[in-house]
């Protein structure tokens, strides 16, 4: 599983790609800080399970200093004094049932990893990921693709995996773009297309994804070998060298947050 949020260092202006698919937002309280939610990697914001709203950590810590504010959401004014797993789960589930894609994504993550007192059930996780993905949630789309690729919560389906990796990649999810590039290199669920694979891997590499950088090197080797084999093939009836790239292929990317 993922365990990451997003950092400003991984957000690359100009190519539309964002680490874990999260685009930094302006804090609605101070209107000054750019917020990154999630776990780790430059996290600079806190998210409220009652409404799904976010504020920067500076404003959050300032709010905690005031006894009259610390147990109330600064955005929707809901009572947040109960921070138990059961209370958090209830708030997220209410939002998910109302159709909030971020809540759907988080609920999918709880089932995927057995968190917040929920028994792990990857079949149910896949259902919630798909609900969120259909509403345009890029991280849910990437996780859904990974579940199809790895057979978590249902049968392995490379075609569906490639389809959802593309959906997430087109929404700017860096790791999904890497995974799509890998699928195109290997012909996993899609027709092998080294040119398109290079396009997606370059987007991810430019955004700082180390696996994409690694695979770009392997892709160059594959293209060189295929070009060499085609040259020899003119006198030998055609020879095609297929190189299977190594690498993990990416993993299910989950972070608690938006």
């Amino acid at each position: 599983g993922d365990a990451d949020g997003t950092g400003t260092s991984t957000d690359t202006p100009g190519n539309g790609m964002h680490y874990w698919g999260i685009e930094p937002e302006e804090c609605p309280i101070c209107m000054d800080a750019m917020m990154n939610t999630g776990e780790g990697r430059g996290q600079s914001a806190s998210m409220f399970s009652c409404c799904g709203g976010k504020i920067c950590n500076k404003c959050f810590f300032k709010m905690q200093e005031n006894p009259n504010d610390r147990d109330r959401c600064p955005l929707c004014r809901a009572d947040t004094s109960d921070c138990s797993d059961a209370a958090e789960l209830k708030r997220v589930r209410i939002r998910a049932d109302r159709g909030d894609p971020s809540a759907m994504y988080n609920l999918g993550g709880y089932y995927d990893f057995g968190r917040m007192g929920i028994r792990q059930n990857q079949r149910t996780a896949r259902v919630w990921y798909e609900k969120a993905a259909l509403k345009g949630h890029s991280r849910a789309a990437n996780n859904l693709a990974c579940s199809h690729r790895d057979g978590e919560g249902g049968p392995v389906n490379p075609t569906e995996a490639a389809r959802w990796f593309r959906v997430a990649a087109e929404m700017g999810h860096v790791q999904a773009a890497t995974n799509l590039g890998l699928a195109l290199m290997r012909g996993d669920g899609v027709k092998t297309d080294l040119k398109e694979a290079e396009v997606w891997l370059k987007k991810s590499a430019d955004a700082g994804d180390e696996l994409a950088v690694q695979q770009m090197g392997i892709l160059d080797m594959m293209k060189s070998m295929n070009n060499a084999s085609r040259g020899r093939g003119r006198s030998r009836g055609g020879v095609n060298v297929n190189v299977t790239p190594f690498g993990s292929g990416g993993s299910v990317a989950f972070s608690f947050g938006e």
Side-chain angles (χ1 to χ4, degrees):
D2 140 312
D4 216 273
T6 175
T8 53
S9 62
T10 58
D11 177 60
T12 306
N15 75 350
M17 305 301 291
H18 304 282
Y19 209 78
W20 294 130
I22 312 171
E23 183 174 1
E25 302 175 51
E26 187 178 70
C27 175
I29 301 296
C30 65
M31 306 294 287
D32 183 43
M34 294 302 291
M35 304 184 299
N36 296 288
T37 58
E39 295 179 350
R41 201 176 183 89
Q43 178 194 6
S44 63
S46 298
M47 184 174 182
F48 294 88
S49 58
C50 47
C51 62
K54 301 170 284 292
I55 65 173
C56 73
N57 284 344
K58 181 179 179 180
C59 289
F60 177 79
F61 294 138
K62 186 175 181 180
M63 181 187 78
Q64 295 302 302
E65 295 173 357
N66 188 335
N68 296 321
D69 291 338
R70 67 170 60 129
D71 291 332
R72 232 167 243 295
C73 173
L75 301 173
C76 71
R77 305 308 296 167
D79 183 353
T80 59
S81 57
D82 188 349
C83 296
S84 65
D85 285 354
E88 290 287 313
L89 176 60
K90 181 179 179 180
R91 289 192 282 264
V92 170
R93 193 180 290 279
I94 288 173
R95 288 172 42 229
D97 288 339
R98 289 175 179 169
D100 184 315
S102 293
M104 291 174 172
Y105 165 74
N106 280 318
L107 190 56
Y110 298 159
Y111 278 107
D112 200 353
F113 295 94
R115 299 202 182 175
M116 294 294 177
I118 290 181
R119 184 186 298 275
Q120 185 179 38
N121 186 327
Q122 292 184 319
R123 186 174 296 276
T124 302
R126 184 185 282 197
V127 170
W128 283 107
Y129 284 150
E130 184 167 4
K131 286 176 180 287
L134 288 170
K135 284 182 169 285
H137 196 286
S138 64
R139 283 188 287 167
N142 183 67
N143 284 17
L144 179 60
C146 289
S147 74
H148 283 297
R149 181 195 64 195
D150 301 333
E152 295 180 340
V156 171
N157 190 328
T159 302
E160 281 295 286
R163 179 169 81 90
W164 285 108
F165 279 139
R166 183 179 294 280
V167 168
E170 289 177 348
M171 287 190 281
H173 193 293
V174 170
Q175 288 74 17
T178 299
N179 285 330
L180 177 58
L182 289 168
L184 289 162
M185 285 174 70
R186 297 168 173 164
D188 288 345
V190 289
K191 183 178 179 180
T192 301
D193 188 331
L194 299 187
K195 287 185 177 180
E196 188 182 3
E198 183 175 18
V199 170
W200 288 109
L201 289 173
K202 187 176 187 307
K203 284 178 178 286
S204 293
D206 288 347
D209 188 71
E210 293 181 5
L211 179 60
V213 173
Q214 174 197 64
Q215 296 299 315
M216 284 286 286
I218 296 172
L219 183 59
D220 287 341
M221 179 182 69
M222 292 174 67
K223 290 192 298 183
S224 296
M225 293 181 69
N226 281 337
N227 288 337
S229 68
R230 281 196 294 270
R232 292 194 300 271
R234 282 194 289 271
S235 60
R236 303 195 316 178
V239 177
N240 184 33
V241 177
N242 292 316
V243 180
T244 301
F246 61 83
S248 68
S251 61
V252 169
F254 175 75
S255 63
F256 294 97
E258 58 190 296

